[in-house]
Amino acid sequence: MPWYDRRDSVFIEFCVADSKDVKINFDKTKCGFSCLGGTDNVKHENEINLFDAIDENESKHKRTDRSVLCYLRKAQPGKAWPRLTKEKAKLSWLSVDFNNWKDWEDDSDEEMGNFDQFSDMMNNMGGEDDLPDLDGADDVRPPLQLSL
């Protein structure tokens, strides 16, 4: 399960092909996930105690054929999350998505303009099917070294 941090949000991707009955529960300090996946309809469940608080009313998700992408709006925008979970333990099922990770503390003005456009797009989302395509990995600078 890859994740990455942005200035006002955190993204988590639950990699489950052909998911059905997707249920995402956003709480102030938790994210709960469940679904049936694959041709065998295997039940997948996970609850994550998050590193910091989120705005559960502004957090959203989108299901695709290969995964479920969650957009978690930070309760404190501008505060970096060095890890996704409250616990410092390394979890084998969790990985950093370095293709989308961005060291945003050193952003230039031009990069901030791009981020503001991206943030506006995310803020104007209506439902789970309105999440825009999140390409743009080509514009990402080398990742910040973090300990998980």
mmCIF file with all atom_site columns, all heavy atoms in Angstrom, residues 6 8 12-13 16 25 52 54 56 59 66 68 70 77 83 106 109-111 113-114 125 136 139-140 144:
data_model
loop_
_atom_site.group_PDB
_atom_site.id
_atom_site.type_symbol
_atom_site.label_atom_id
_atom_site.label_alt_id
_atom_site.label_comp_id
_atom_site.label_asym_id
_atom_site.label_entity_id
_atom_site.label_seq_id
_atom_site.pdbx_PDB_ins_code
_atom_site.Cartn_x
_atom_site.Cartn_y
_atom_site.Cartn_z
_atom_site.occupancy
_atom_site.B_iso_or_equiv
_atom_site.pdbx_formal_charge
_atom_site.auth_seq_id
_atom_site.auth_comp_id
_atom_site.auth_asym_id
_atom_site.auth_atom_id
_atom_site.pdbx_PDB_model_num
ATOM 1   N N   . ARG A 1 6   ? 1.690   15.603 0.724   1.00 0.00 ? 6   ARG A N   1
ATOM 2   C CA  . ARG A 1 6   ? 1.695   16.896 0.038   1.00 0.00 ? 6   ARG A CA  1
ATOM 3   C C   . ARG A 1 6   ? 1.400   17.979 1.073   1.00 0.00 ? 6   ARG A C   1
ATOM 4   O O   . ARG A 1 6   ? 1.073   17.695 2.212   1.00 0.00 ? 6   ARG A O   1
ATOM 5   C CB  . ARG A 1 6   ? 0.650   16.931 -1.083  1.00 0.00 ? 6   ARG A CB  1
ATOM 6   C CG  . ARG A 1 6   ? 1.020   16.042 -2.269  1.00 0.00 ? 6   ARG A CG  1
ATOM 7   C CD  . ARG A 1 6   ? 2.216   16.618 -3.017  1.00 0.00 ? 6   ARG A CD  1
ATOM 8   N NE  . ARG A 1 6   ? 2.825   15.686 -3.945  1.00 0.00 ? 6   ARG A NE  1
ATOM 9   C CZ  . ARG A 1 6   ? 2.555   15.614 -5.226  1.00 0.00 ? 6   ARG A CZ  1
ATOM 10  N NH1 . ARG A 1 6   ? 1.647   16.395 -5.758  1.00 0.00 ? 6   ARG A NH1 1
ATOM 11  N NH2 . ARG A 1 6   ? 3.192   14.758 -5.986  1.00 0.00 ? 6   ARG A NH2 1
ATOM 12  N N   . ASP A 1 8   ? -1.034  20.095 1.820   1.00 0.00 ? 8   ASP A N   1
ATOM 13  C CA  . ASP A 1 8   ? -2.286  20.143 2.575   1.00 0.00 ? 8   ASP A CA  1
ATOM 14  C C   . ASP A 1 8   ? -3.031  18.808 2.574   1.00 0.00 ? 8   ASP A C   1
ATOM 15  O O   . ASP A 1 8   ? -4.180  18.738 2.994   1.00 0.00 ? 8   ASP A O   1
ATOM 16  C CB  . ASP A 1 8   ? -3.202  21.252 2.053   1.00 0.00 ? 8   ASP A CB  1
ATOM 17  C CG  . ASP A 1 8   ? -3.742  20.979 0.667   1.00 0.00 ? 8   ASP A CG  1
ATOM 18  O OD1 . ASP A 1 8   ? -3.250  20.049 0.003   1.00 0.00 ? 8   ASP A OD1 1
ATOM 19  O OD2 . ASP A 1 8   ? -4.667  21.693 0.244   1.00 0.00 ? 8   ASP A OD2 1
ATOM 20  N N   . ILE A 1 12  ? -3.257  7.928  -0.060  1.00 0.00 ? 12  ILE A N   1
ATOM 21  C CA  . ILE A 1 12  ? -3.037  6.509  0.211   1.00 0.00 ? 12  ILE A CA  1
ATOM 22  C C   . ILE A 1 12  ? -3.684  5.731  -0.924  1.00 0.00 ? 12  ILE A C   1
ATOM 23  O O   . ILE A 1 12  ? -4.812  6.025  -1.317  1.00 0.00 ? 12  ILE A O   1
ATOM 24  C CB  . ILE A 1 12  ? -3.696  6.051  1.526   1.00 0.00 ? 12  ILE A CB  1
ATOM 25  C CG1 . ILE A 1 12  ? -3.286  6.923  2.698   1.00 0.00 ? 12  ILE A CG1 1
ATOM 26  C CG2 . ILE A 1 12  ? -3.381  4.594  1.797   1.00 0.00 ? 12  ILE A CG2 1
ATOM 27  C CD1 . ILE A 1 12  ? -4.089  6.640  3.957   1.00 0.00 ? 12  ILE A CD1 1
ATOM 28  N N   . GLU A 1 13  ? -2.975  4.728  -1.428  1.00 0.00 ? 13  GLU A N   1
ATOM 29  C CA  . GLU A 1 13  ? -3.545  3.883  -2.468  1.00 0.00 ? 13  GLU A CA  1
ATOM 30  C C   . GLU A 1 13  ? -3.652  2.450  -1.955  1.00 0.00 ? 13  GLU A C   1
ATOM 31  O O   . GLU A 1 13  ? -2.653  1.820  -1.630  1.00 0.00 ? 13  GLU A O   1
ATOM 32  C CB  . GLU A 1 13  ? -2.694  3.920  -3.730  1.00 0.00 ? 13  GLU A CB  1
ATOM 33  C CG  . GLU A 1 13  ? -3.322  3.161  -4.865  1.00 0.00 ? 13  GLU A CG  1
ATOM 34  C CD  . GLU A 1 13  ? -2.555  3.304  -6.175  1.00 0.00 ? 13  GLU A CD  1
ATOM 35  O OE1 . GLU A 1 13  ? -1.387  3.722  -6.141  1.00 0.00 ? 13  GLU A OE1 1
ATOM 36  O OE2 . GLU A 1 13  ? -3.132  2.986  -7.207  1.00 0.00 ? 13  GLU A OE2 1
ATOM 37  N N   . VAL A 1 16  ? -6.075  -2.984 -4.732  1.00 0.00 ? 16  VAL A N   1
ATOM 38  C CA  . VAL A 1 16  ? -6.975  -4.133 -4.787  1.00 0.00 ? 16  VAL A CA  1
ATOM 39  C C   . VAL A 1 16  ? -7.634  -4.109 -6.162  1.00 0.00 ? 16  VAL A C   1
ATOM 40  O O   . VAL A 1 16  ? -8.377  -3.185 -6.482  1.00 0.00 ? 16  VAL A O   1
ATOM 41  C CB  . VAL A 1 16  ? -8.058  -4.072 -3.686  1.00 0.00 ? 16  VAL A CB  1
ATOM 42  C CG1 . VAL A 1 16  ? -8.999  -5.262 -3.791  1.00 0.00 ? 16  VAL A CG1 1
ATOM 43  C CG2 . VAL A 1 16  ? -7.436  -3.990 -2.304  1.00 0.00 ? 16  VAL A CG2 1
ATOM 44  N N   . ASN A 1 25  ? -13.969 4.807  5.702   1.00 0.00 ? 25  ASN A N   1
ATOM 45  C CA  . ASN A 1 25  ? -14.416 5.596  6.845   1.00 0.00 ? 25  ASN A CA  1
ATOM 46  C C   . ASN A 1 25  ? -13.290 6.543  7.247   1.00 0.00 ? 25  ASN A C   1
ATOM 47  O O   . ASN A 1 25  ? -12.218 6.097  7.641   1.00 0.00 ? 25  ASN A O   1
ATOM 48  C CB  . ASN A 1 25  ? -14.769 4.688  8.033   1.00 0.00 ? 25  ASN A CB  1
ATOM 49  C CG  . ASN A 1 25  ? -15.935 3.791  7.717   1.00 0.00 ? 25  ASN A CG  1
ATOM 50  O OD1 . ASN A 1 25  ? -16.917 4.230  7.137   1.00 0.00 ? 25  ASN A OD1 1
ATOM 51  N ND2 . ASN A 1 25  ? -15.815 2.531  8.074   1.00 0.00 ? 25  ASN A ND2 1
ATOM 52  N N   . ASP A 1 52  ? -1.263  12.193 12.080  1.00 0.00 ? 52  ASP A N   1
ATOM 53  C CA  . ASP A 1 52  ? -1.821  13.443 12.590  1.00 0.00 ? 52  ASP A CA  1
ATOM 54  C C   . ASP A 1 52  ? -3.292  13.515 12.172  1.00 0.00 ? 52  ASP A C   1
ATOM 55  O O   . ASP A 1 52  ? -3.786  12.665 11.444  1.00 0.00 ? 52  ASP A O   1
ATOM 56  C CB  . ASP A 1 52  ? -1.043  14.635 12.034  1.00 0.00 ? 52  ASP A CB  1
ATOM 57  C CG  . ASP A 1 52  ? -1.097  15.865 12.932  1.00 0.00 ? 52  ASP A CG  1
ATOM 58  O OD1 . ASP A 1 52  ? -1.907  15.887 13.876  1.00 0.00 ? 52  ASP A OD1 1
ATOM 59  O OD2 . ASP A 1 52  ? -0.325  16.813 12.681  1.00 0.00 ? 52  ASP A OD2 1
ATOM 60  N N   . ILE A 1 54  ? -6.857  14.649 10.432  1.00 0.00 ? 54  ILE A N   1
ATOM 61  C CA  . ILE A 1 54  ? -7.340  15.027 9.105   1.00 0.00 ? 54  ILE A CA  1
ATOM 62  C C   . ILE A 1 54  ? -8.714  15.688 9.241   1.00 0.00 ? 54  ILE A C   1
ATOM 63  O O   . ILE A 1 54  ? -9.352  15.596 10.282  1.00 0.00 ? 54  ILE A O   1
ATOM 64  C CB  . ILE A 1 54  ? -7.440  13.812 8.160   1.00 0.00 ? 54  ILE A CB  1
ATOM 65  C CG1 . ILE A 1 54  ? -8.450  12.784 8.695   1.00 0.00 ? 54  ILE A CG1 1
ATOM 66  C CG2 . ILE A 1 54  ? -6.083  13.192 7.912   1.00 0.00 ? 54  ILE A CG2 1
ATOM 67  C CD1 . ILE A 1 54  ? -8.812  11.684 7.703   1.00 0.00 ? 54  ILE A CD1 1
ATOM 68  N N   . GLU A 1 56  ? -12.035 15.052 8.183   1.00 0.00 ? 56  GLU A N   1
ATOM 69  C CA  . GLU A 1 56  ? -12.764 13.912 7.628   1.00 0.00 ? 56  GLU A CA  1
ATOM 70  C C   . GLU A 1 56  ? -13.855 14.326 6.646   1.00 0.00 ? 56  GLU A C   1
ATOM 71  O O   . GLU A 1 56  ? -14.210 13.572 5.739   1.00 0.00 ? 56  GLU A O   1
ATOM 72  C CB  . GLU A 1 56  ? -13.342 13.018 8.732   1.00 0.00 ? 56  GLU A CB  1
ATOM 73  C CG  . GLU A 1 56  ? -14.388 13.671 9.597   1.00 0.00 ? 56  GLU A CG  1
ATOM 74  C CD  . GLU A 1 56  ? -13.849 14.347 10.846  1.00 0.00 ? 56  GLU A CD  1
ATOM 75  O OE1 . GLU A 1 56  ? -12.684 14.782 10.864  1.00 0.00 ? 56  GLU A OE1 1
ATOM 76  O OE2 . GLU A 1 56  ? -14.625 14.462 11.811  1.00 0.00 ? 56  GLU A OE2 1
ATOM 77  N N   . SER A 1 59  ? -12.099 14.882 3.158   1.00 0.00 ? 59  SER A N   1
ATOM 78  C CA  . SER A 1 59  ? -11.348 13.745 2.632   1.00 0.00 ? 59  SER A CA  1
ATOM 79  C C   . SER A 1 59  ? -12.247 12.939 1.701   1.00 0.00 ? 59  SER A C   1
ATOM 80  O O   . SER A 1 59  ? -13.445 12.824 1.929   1.00 0.00 ? 59  SER A O   1
ATOM 81  C CB  . SER A 1 59  ? -10.848 12.874 3.788   1.00 0.00 ? 59  SER A CB  1
ATOM 82  O OG  . SER A 1 59  ? -9.943  13.624 4.580   1.00 0.00 ? 59  SER A OG  1
ATOM 83  N N   . ARG A 1 66  ? -7.977  -1.045 -10.552 1.00 0.00 ? 66  ARG A N   1
ATOM 84  C CA  . ARG A 1 66  ? -6.806  -1.642 -9.905  1.00 0.00 ? 66  ARG A CA  1
ATOM 85  C C   . ARG A 1 66  ? -6.602  -1.239 -8.460  1.00 0.00 ? 66  ARG A C   1
ATOM 86  O O   . ARG A 1 66  ? -5.842  -1.867 -7.744  1.00 0.00 ? 66  ARG A O   1
ATOM 87  C CB  . ARG A 1 66  ? -5.537  -1.275 -10.695 1.00 0.00 ? 66  ARG A CB  1
ATOM 88  C CG  . ARG A 1 66  ? -5.538  -1.822 -12.092 1.00 0.00 ? 66  ARG A CG  1
ATOM 89  C CD  . ARG A 1 66  ? -4.285  -1.507 -12.814 1.00 0.00 ? 66  ARG A CD  1
ATOM 90  N NE  . ARG A 1 66  ? -3.872  -0.134 -12.562 1.00 0.00 ? 66  ARG A NE  1
ATOM 91  C CZ  . ARG A 1 66  ? -2.849  0.451  -13.132 1.00 0.00 ? 66  ARG A CZ  1
ATOM 92  N NH1 . ARG A 1 66  ? -2.111  -0.207 -13.980 1.00 0.00 ? 66  ARG A NH1 1
ATOM 93  N NH2 . ARG A 1 66  ? -2.542  1.686  -12.862 1.00 0.00 ? 66  ARG A NH2 1
ATOM 94  N N   . VAL A 1 68  ? -7.949  1.663  -4.917  1.00 0.00 ? 68  VAL A N   1
ATOM 95  C CA  . VAL A 1 68  ? -8.796  2.703  -4.340  1.00 0.00 ? 68  VAL A CA  1
ATOM 96  C C   . VAL A 1 68  ? -7.853  3.778  -3.820  1.00 0.00 ? 68  VAL A C   1
ATOM 97  O O   . VAL A 1 68  ? -7.006  3.505  -2.967  1.00 0.00 ? 68  VAL A O   1
ATOM 98  C CB  . VAL A 1 68  ? -9.681  2.156  -3.197  1.00 0.00 ? 68  VAL A CB  1
ATOM 99  C CG1 . VAL A 1 68  ? -10.503 3.279  -2.579  1.00 0.00 ? 68  VAL A CG1 1
ATOM 100 C CG2 . VAL A 1 68  ? -10.580 1.034  -3.697  1.00 0.00 ? 68  VAL A CG2 1
ATOM 101 N N   . CYS A 1 70  ? -7.206  7.238  -1.855  1.00 0.00 ? 70  CYS A N   1
ATOM 102 C CA  . CYS A 1 70  ? -7.804  8.099  -0.826  1.00 0.00 ? 70  CYS A CA  1
ATOM 103 C C   . CYS A 1 70  ? -7.031  9.410  -0.731  1.00 0.00 ? 70  CYS A C   1
ATOM 104 O O   . CYS A 1 70  ? -5.797  9.417  -0.686  1.00 0.00 ? 70  CYS A O   1
ATOM 105 C CB  . CYS A 1 70  ? -7.778  7.404  0.533   1.00 0.00 ? 70  CYS A CB  1
ATOM 106 S SG  . CYS A 1 70  ? -8.797  5.938  0.593   1.00 0.00 ? 70  CYS A SG  1
ATOM 107 N N   . PRO A 1 77  ? -2.764  22.109 7.441   1.00 0.00 ? 77  PRO A N   1
ATOM 108 C CA  . PRO A 1 77  ? -2.010  22.204 6.186   1.00 0.00 ? 77  PRO A CA  1
ATOM 109 C C   . PRO A 1 77  ? -0.636  22.807 6.429   1.00 0.00 ? 77  PRO A C   1
ATOM 110 O O   . PRO A 1 77  ? -0.458  23.641 7.307   1.00 0.00 ? 77  PRO A O   1
ATOM 111 C CB  . PRO A 1 77  ? -2.862  23.139 5.328   1.00 0.00 ? 77  PRO A CB  1
ATOM 112 C CG  . PRO A 1 77  ? -4.218  23.112 5.944   1.00 0.00 ? 77  PRO A CG  1
ATOM 113 C CD  . PRO A 1 77  ? -4.020  22.852 7.401   1.00 0.00 ? 77  PRO A CD  1
ATOM 114 N N   . ARG A 1 83  ? 5.744   10.159 8.364   1.00 0.00 ? 83  ARG A N   1
ATOM 115 C CA  . ARG A 1 83  ? 5.239   8.794  8.165   1.00 0.00 ? 83  ARG A CA  1
ATOM 116 C C   . ARG A 1 83  ? 3.714   8.871  8.158   1.00 0.00 ? 83  ARG A C   1
ATOM 117 O O   . ARG A 1 83  ? 3.127   9.856  8.582   1.00 0.00 ? 83  ARG A O   1
ATOM 118 C CB  . ARG A 1 83  ? 5.755   7.848  9.251   1.00 0.00 ? 83  ARG A CB  1
ATOM 119 C CG  . ARG A 1 83  ? 5.350   8.218  10.648  1.00 0.00 ? 83  ARG A CG  1
ATOM 120 C CD  . ARG A 1 83  ? 6.004   7.316  11.710  1.00 0.00 ? 83  ARG A CD  1
ATOM 121 N NE  . ARG A 1 83  ? 5.558   7.726  13.009  1.00 0.00 ? 83  ARG A NE  1
ATOM 122 C CZ  . ARG A 1 83  ? 6.089   8.711  13.720  1.00 0.00 ? 83  ARG A CZ  1
ATOM 123 N NH1 . ARG A 1 83  ? 7.129   9.362  13.235  1.00 0.00 ? 83  ARG A NH1 1
ATOM 124 N NH2 . ARG A 1 83  ? 5.603   9.032  14.893  1.00 0.00 ? 83  ARG A NH2 1
ATOM 125 N N   . ASP A 1 106 ? 10.895  23.062 0.087   1.00 0.00 ? 106 ASP A N   1
ATOM 126 C CA  . ASP A 1 106 ? 11.823  23.885 -0.680  1.00 0.00 ? 106 ASP A CA  1
ATOM 127 C C   . ASP A 1 106 ? 11.249  24.303 -2.024  1.00 0.00 ? 106 ASP A C   1
ATOM 128 O O   . ASP A 1 106 ? 11.974  24.591 -2.954  1.00 0.00 ? 106 ASP A O   1
ATOM 129 C CB  . ASP A 1 106 ? 13.138  23.112 -0.911  1.00 0.00 ? 106 ASP A CB  1
ATOM 130 C CG  . ASP A 1 106 ? 13.836  22.802 0.401   1.00 0.00 ? 106 ASP A CG  1
ATOM 131 O OD1 . ASP A 1 106 ? 13.763  23.643 1.312   1.00 0.00 ? 106 ASP A OD1 1
ATOM 132 O OD2 . ASP A 1 106 ? 14.447  21.728 0.508   1.00 0.00 ? 106 ASP A OD2 1
ATOM 133 N N   . ASP A 1 109 ? 8.396   29.443 -6.299  1.00 0.00 ? 109 ASP A N   1
ATOM 134 C CA  . ASP A 1 109 ? 7.103   30.091 -6.512  1.00 0.00 ? 109 ASP A CA  1
ATOM 135 C C   . ASP A 1 109 ? 6.330   29.429 -7.649  1.00 0.00 ? 109 ASP A C   1
ATOM 136 O O   . ASP A 1 109 ? 5.125   29.258 -7.583  1.00 0.00 ? 109 ASP A O   1
ATOM 137 C CB  . ASP A 1 109 ? 7.288   31.584 -6.815  1.00 0.00 ? 109 ASP A CB  1
ATOM 138 C CG  . ASP A 1 109 ? 7.744   32.354 -5.590  1.00 0.00 ? 109 ASP A CG  1
ATOM 139 O OD1 . ASP A 1 109 ? 7.532   31.846 -4.467  1.00 0.00 ? 109 ASP A OD1 1
ATOM 140 O OD2 . ASP A 1 109 ? 8.320   33.441 -5.753  1.00 0.00 ? 109 ASP A OD2 1
ATOM 141 N N   . GLU A 1 110 ? 7.046   29.043 -8.723  1.00 0.00 ? 110 GLU A N   1
ATOM 142 C CA  . GLU A 1 110 ? 6.383   28.405 -9.860  1.00 0.00 ? 110 GLU A CA  1
ATOM 143 C C   . GLU A 1 110 ? 5.765   27.070 -9.450  1.00 0.00 ? 110 GLU A C   1
ATOM 144 O O   . GLU A 1 110 ? 4.631   26.765 -9.796  1.00 0.00 ? 110 GLU A O   1
ATOM 145 C CB  . GLU A 1 110 ? 7.395   28.188 -10.987 1.00 0.00 ? 110 GLU A CB  1
ATOM 146 C CG  . GLU A 1 110 ? 6.795   27.486 -12.190 1.00 0.00 ? 110 GLU A CG  1
ATOM 147 C CD  . GLU A 1 110 ? 7.832   27.244 -13.271 1.00 0.00 ? 110 GLU A CD  1
ATOM 148 O OE1 . GLU A 1 110 ? 8.767   28.059 -13.388 1.00 0.00 ? 110 GLU A OE1 1
ATOM 149 O OE2 . GLU A 1 110 ? 7.708   26.229 -13.978 1.00 0.00 ? 110 GLU A OE2 1
ATOM 150 N N   . GLU A 1 111 ? 6.515   26.292 -8.685  1.00 0.00 ? 111 GLU A N   1
ATOM 151 C CA  . GLU A 1 111 ? 5.992   25.000 -8.233  1.00 0.00 ? 111 GLU A CA  1
ATOM 152 C C   . GLU A 1 111 ? 4.808   25.202 -7.301  1.00 0.00 ? 111 GLU A C   1
ATOM 153 O O   . GLU A 1 111 ? 3.865   24.426 -7.307  1.00 0.00 ? 111 GLU A O   1
ATOM 154 C CB  . GLU A 1 111 ? 7.082   24.196 -7.535  1.00 0.00 ? 111 GLU A CB  1
ATOM 155 C CG  . GLU A 1 111 ? 8.114   23.669 -8.525  1.00 0.00 ? 111 GLU A CG  1
ATOM 156 C CD  . GLU A 1 111 ? 9.327   23.114 -7.828  1.00 0.00 ? 111 GLU A CD  1
ATOM 157 O OE1 . GLU A 1 111 ? 9.650   23.594 -6.720  1.00 0.00 ? 111 GLU A OE1 1
ATOM 158 O OE2 . GLU A 1 111 ? 9.953   22.219 -8.379  1.00 0.00 ? 111 GLU A OE2 1
ATOM 159 N N   . GLY A 1 113 ? 2.587   27.569 -7.490  1.00 0.00 ? 113 GLY A N   1
ATOM 160 C CA  . GLY A 1 113 ? 1.436   27.857 -8.339  1.00 0.00 ? 113 GLY A CA  1
ATOM 161 C C   . GLY A 1 113 ? 0.819   26.575 -8.858  1.00 0.00 ? 113 GLY A C   1
ATOM 162 O O   . GLY A 1 113 ? -0.398  26.419 -8.872  1.00 0.00 ? 113 GLY A O   1
ATOM 163 N N   . ASN A 1 114 ? 1.658   25.635 -9.289  1.00 0.00 ? 114 ASN A N   1
ATOM 164 C CA  . ASN A 1 114 ? 1.155   24.341 -9.758  1.00 0.00 ? 114 ASN A CA  1
ATOM 165 C C   . ASN A 1 114 ? 0.465   23.601 -8.633  1.00 0.00 ? 114 ASN A C   1
ATOM 166 O O   . ASN A 1 114 ? -0.567  22.978 -8.838  1.00 0.00 ? 114 ASN A O   1
ATOM 167 C CB  . ASN A 1 114 ? 2.307   23.482 -10.297 1.00 0.00 ? 114 ASN A CB  1
ATOM 168 C CG  . ASN A 1 114 ? 2.875   24.039 -11.585 1.00 0.00 ? 114 ASN A CG  1
ATOM 169 O OD1 . ASN A 1 114 ? 2.214   24.807 -12.276 1.00 0.00 ? 114 ASN A OD1 1
ATOM 170 N ND2 . ASN A 1 114 ? 4.102   23.671 -11.889 1.00 0.00 ? 114 ASN A ND2 1
ATOM 171 N N   . MET A 1 125 ? -13.790 18.776 -5.593  1.00 0.00 ? 125 MET A N   1
ATOM 172 C CA  . MET A 1 125 ? -14.315 17.462 -5.931  1.00 0.00 ? 125 MET A CA  1
ATOM 173 C C   . MET A 1 125 ? -15.696 17.283 -5.328  1.00 0.00 ? 125 MET A C   1
ATOM 174 O O   . MET A 1 125 ? -15.953 17.701 -4.218  1.00 0.00 ? 125 MET A O   1
ATOM 175 C CB  . MET A 1 125 ? -13.407 16.350 -5.390  1.00 0.00 ? 125 MET A CB  1
ATOM 176 C CG  . MET A 1 125 ? -12.103 16.258 -6.120  1.00 0.00 ? 125 MET A CG  1
ATOM 177 S SD  . MET A 1 125 ? -11.073 14.883 -5.621  1.00 0.00 ? 125 MET A SD  1
ATOM 178 C CE  . MET A 1 125 ? -11.653 14.377 -4.070  1.00 0.00 ? 125 MET A CE  1
ATOM 179 N N   . GLY A 1 136 ? 1.700   13.384 -13.330 1.00 0.00 ? 136 GLY A N   1
ATOM 180 C CA  . GLY A 1 136 ? 2.573   14.479 -12.951 1.00 0.00 ? 136 GLY A CA  1
ATOM 181 C C   . GLY A 1 136 ? 3.817   13.992 -12.252 1.00 0.00 ? 136 GLY A C   1
ATOM 182 O O   . GLY A 1 136 ? 4.589   14.768 -11.732 1.00 0.00 ? 136 GLY A O   1
ATOM 183 N N   . ASP A 1 139 ? 7.195   15.642 -12.997 1.00 0.00 ? 139 ASP A N   1
ATOM 184 C CA  . ASP A 1 139 ? 7.577   16.934 -12.447 1.00 0.00 ? 139 ASP A CA  1
ATOM 185 C C   . ASP A 1 139 ? 8.134   16.837 -11.038 1.00 0.00 ? 139 ASP A C   1
ATOM 186 O O   . ASP A 1 139 ? 8.434   17.840 -10.421 1.00 0.00 ? 139 ASP A O   1
ATOM 187 C CB  . ASP A 1 139 ? 6.355   17.860 -12.399 1.00 0.00 ? 139 ASP A CB  1
ATOM 188 C CG  . ASP A 1 139 ? 5.757   18.069 -13.779 1.00 0.00 ? 139 ASP A CG  1
ATOM 189 O OD1 . ASP A 1 139 ? 6.520   18.056 -14.759 1.00 0.00 ? 139 ASP A OD1 1
ATOM 190 O OD2 . ASP A 1 139 ? 4.544   18.237 -13.847 1.00 0.00 ? 139 ASP A OD2 1
ATOM 191 N N   . VAL A 1 140 ? 8.290   15.650 -10.528 1.00 0.00 ? 140 VAL A N   1
ATOM 192 C CA  . VAL A 1 140 ? 8.682   15.468 -9.134  1.00 0.00 ? 140 VAL A CA  1
ATOM 193 C C   . VAL A 1 140 ? 10.204  15.499 -9.010  1.00 0.00 ? 140 VAL A C   1
ATOM 194 O O   . VAL A 1 140 ? 10.922  14.885 -9.775  1.00 0.00 ? 140 VAL A O   1
ATOM 195 C CB  . VAL A 1 140 ? 8.132   14.125 -8.596  1.00 0.00 ? 140 VAL A CB  1
ATOM 196 C CG1 . VAL A 1 140 ? 8.601   13.889 -7.190  1.00 0.00 ? 140 VAL A CG1 1
ATOM 197 C CG2 . VAL A 1 140 ? 6.631   14.130 -8.679  1.00 0.00 ? 140 VAL A CG2 1
ATOM 198 N N   . LEU A 1 144 ? 12.727  13.146 -0.623  1.00 0.00 ? 144 LEU A N   1
ATOM 199 C CA  . LEU A 1 144 ? 13.336  13.459 0.645   1.00 0.00 ? 144 LEU A CA  1
ATOM 200 C C   . LEU A 1 144 ? 13.580  12.146 1.379   1.00 0.00 ? 144 LEU A C   1
ATOM 201 O O   . LEU A 1 144 ? 12.742  11.265 1.368   1.00 0.00 ? 144 LEU A O   1
ATOM 202 C CB  . LEU A 1 144 ? 12.366  14.323 1.458   1.00 0.00 ? 144 LEU A CB  1
ATOM 203 C CG  . LEU A 1 144 ? 12.728  14.704 2.866   1.00 0.00 ? 144 LEU A CG  1
ATOM 204 C CD1 . LEU A 1 144 ? 13.912  15.659 2.836   1.00 0.00 ? 144 LEU A CD1 1
ATOM 205 C CD2 . LEU A 1 144 ? 11.557  15.384 3.537   1.00 0.00 ? 144 LEU A CD2 1
#
